[in-house]
Amino acid sequence: MQNIEDTDYLKQFAQRVRTLREAQKISQEKLAERAGLHRTYIGMVERLERNPSLVCIHKIANGLGVHVTELF
């Protein structure tokens, strides 16, 4: 079970992914394609329905063309 602090971290991460994606004017589907993830996965991350693994965080960063640290 996640506590409130964990949820806050996930929320910040999700908002950062969305902000970077929208700044690049790409869809969730396009980001998923670039990241090598399923098209619904990005939406689930942005809606806080998934707690992405380190591997998926790395893939999302690559899909956005940023360093992992820019997602936090």
Side-chain angles (χ1 to χ4, degrees):
M1 183 172 182
Q2 296 176 349
N3 64 35
I4 292 174
E5 188 173 304
D6 291 344
T7 304
D8 288 344
Y9 290 128
L10 288 172
K11 186 175 183 178
Q12 290 172 8
F13 177 81
Q15 288 174 338
R16 185 69 176 145
V17 169
R18 177 173 281 165
T19 298
L20 291 170
R21 178 181 60 76
E22 289 177 345
Q24 294 182 26
K25 299 183 182 352
I26 60 173
S27 66
Q28 291 176 346
E29 186 173 3
K30 184 66 173 178
L31 174 54
E33 180 183 310
R34 289 181 179 181
L37 298 167
H38 193 273
R39 61 182 177 79
T40 60
Y41 187 79
I42 300 299
M44 294 174 77
V45 168
E46 290 184 2
R47 290 189 305 273
L48 306 176
E49 295 171 0
R50 296 295 301 228
N51 183 354
S53 69
L54 183 56
V55 170
C56 287
I57 291 170
H58 181 72
K59 287 181 176 187
I60 291 169
N62 284 342
L64 290 167
V66 300
H67 191 273
V68 171
T69 59
E70 292 185 54
L71 297 178
F72 297 95

